């Protein structure tokens, strides 16, 4: 697993896992590794390495998220390689807004986005989407996410959307615009399977957990808001 900021000796490992991405039951070559650590009981660090260098896209993503004791995102650093682009980004989540900066092939972009009182935040990975369980009990299911990589100017730009969320047993269904994600959660609200596809279900990419270790029986910190 690759890191933006390597784990330090004082970090305590809480949970870790790995997903294999499949299309029609066949491995695509993409693999997602993730690790959650704790620092001094004050905050947690979620590291994700989504490595699709061996897949058709050839993309590669690294995420380094800092969450406070209530499970809220405080900061997200990320890196991306692919489609002749190299992107480095840094997002800071404050009480009332998000400030984001990114550099795409040497060109800088900055954004500031006002926030509602309660919201979900997610980034493009199976574990990242799983953090949307945070707003299941909210009356206003608003989420802030990062856009897909389509061109240099819009890659990883922030967007706000209303979500349609439904939890049936262990299955969480997330819909927005023409997008749909289905996640199967374990007893601690961690995703163990994800199916991605448009609402027409014409294309269904699946992520299957091939390894999941919960060292301290830790509930997904994104499953509630403080």
């Amino acid at each position: 697993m690759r890191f933006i900021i390597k784990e330090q000796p004082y970090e305590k490992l809480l949970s870790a896992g790995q997903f294999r991405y499949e299309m029609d039951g066949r491995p695509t070559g993409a693999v997602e590794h993730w690790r959650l650590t704790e620092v001094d009981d004050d905050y947690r660090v979620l590291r994700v390495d989504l490595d699709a260098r061996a897949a058709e896209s050839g993309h590669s993503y690294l995420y380094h998220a800092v969450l406070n004791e209530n499970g809220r995102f405080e900061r997200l650093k990320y890196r991306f390689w692919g489609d002749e682009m190299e992107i480095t980004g840094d997002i800071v989540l404050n009480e009332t807004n998000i400030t984001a900066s990114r550099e795409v092939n040497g060109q800088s972009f900055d954004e500031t986005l006002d926030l509602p009182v309660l919201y979900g935040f997610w980034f493009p990975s199976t574990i990242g989407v799983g953090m949307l369980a945070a707003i299941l009990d909210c009356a206003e299911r608003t989420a802030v996410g990062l856009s897909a990589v389509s061109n240099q100017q819009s890659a990883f730009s922030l967007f706000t959307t209303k979500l349609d969320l439904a939890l049936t047993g262990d299955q969480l269904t997330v819909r927005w615009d023409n997008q749909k994600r289905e996640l199967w959660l374990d007893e601690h609200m961690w995703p163990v399977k994800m199916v991605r596809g448009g609402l027409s279900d014409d294309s269904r990419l699946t992520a299957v957990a091939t390894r999941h270790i919960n060292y301290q029986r830790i509930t997904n910190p994104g499953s509630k808001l403080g």
Side-chain angles (χ1 to χ4, degrees):
M1 180 174 174
R2 301 166 298 166
F3 302 105
I4 295 178
I5 301 175
K6 290 186 177 181
E7 288 182 21
Q8 302 302 310
Y10 52 78
E11 295 184 50
K12 179 170 65 176
L13 182 60
L14 301 178
S15 298
Q18 177 179 304
F19 293 97
R20 179 180 64 242
Y21 284 82
E22 302 175 349
M23 183 71 75
D24 298 325
R26 296 188 296 272
T28 64
V31 179
E32 178 176 336
H33 302 266
W34 65 274
R35 293 170 68 87
L36 178 74
T37 62
E38 185 176 63
V39 181
D40 297 332
D41 296 324
D42 293 326
Y43 63 92
R44 293 173 178 177
V45 180
L46 178 63
R47 293 174 171 90
V48 179
D49 177 358
L50 177 50
D51 188 352
R53 288 176 293 179
E56 182 179 356
S57 71
H59 291 172
S60 194
Y61 308 77
L62 295 180
Y63 300 102
H64 183 280
V66 176
L67 300 92
N68 67 19
E69 65 275 11
N70 293 319
R72 286 183 179 272
F73 282 92
E74 290 192 348
R75 192 166 190 173
L76 176 71
K77 290 179 175 288
Y78 62 86
R79 296 196 68 181
F80 169 85
W81 299 267
D83 293 333
E84 299 184 345
M85 284 189 285
E86 182 172 342
I87 304 173
T88 301
D90 190 5
I91 298 173
V92 178
L93 295 92
N94 303 300
E95 289 289 334
T96 59
N97 62 36
I98 293 179
T99 59
S101 61
R102 65 188 187 277
E103 187 171 289
V104 185
N105 289 350
Q107 183 176 359
S108 297
F109 300 90
D110 296 291
E111 294 177 272
T112 299
L113 184 67
D114 292 333
L115 294 172
V117 176
L118 293 176
Y119 64 94
F121 180 77
W122 66 281
F123 53 87
S125 82
T126 295
I127 285 295
V129 175
M131 304 302 280
L132 289 175
I135 56 175
L136 265 171
D137 296 329
C138 295
E140 290 290 330
R141 292 170 173 175
T142 302
V144 179
L146 303 180
S147 65
V149 177
S150 56
N151 60 65
Q152 180 167 316
Q153 185 167 356
S154 66
F156 289 99
S157 59
L158 298 172
F159 72 94
T160 303
T161 186
K162 298 289 187 180
L163 297 178
D164 178 11
L165 295 177
L167 182 63
T168 304
D170 63 350
Q171 183 178 349
L172 174 65
T173 302
V174 185
R175 291 183 173 90
W176 74 95
D177 298 333
N178 66 339
Q179 296 293 314
K180 177 182 176 182
R181 304 289 188 273
E182 295 171 278
L183 297 100
W184 282 259
L185 309 175
D186 69 8
E187 65 271 28
H188 302 292
M189 301 295 284
W190 289 107
V192 293
K193 180 181 178 182
M194 185 278 298
V195 176
R196 186 188 76 187
L199 296 184
S200 63
D201 293 336
D202 292 332
S203 175
R204 294 174 69 84
L205 178 70
T206 302
V208 179
T210 56
R211 182 171 64 89
H212 178 73
I213 304 173
N214 205 346
Y215 294 91
Q216 306 269 335
R217 300 183 67 81
I218 297 296
T219 298
N220 181 351
S223 64
K224 65 176 181 177
L225 289 176

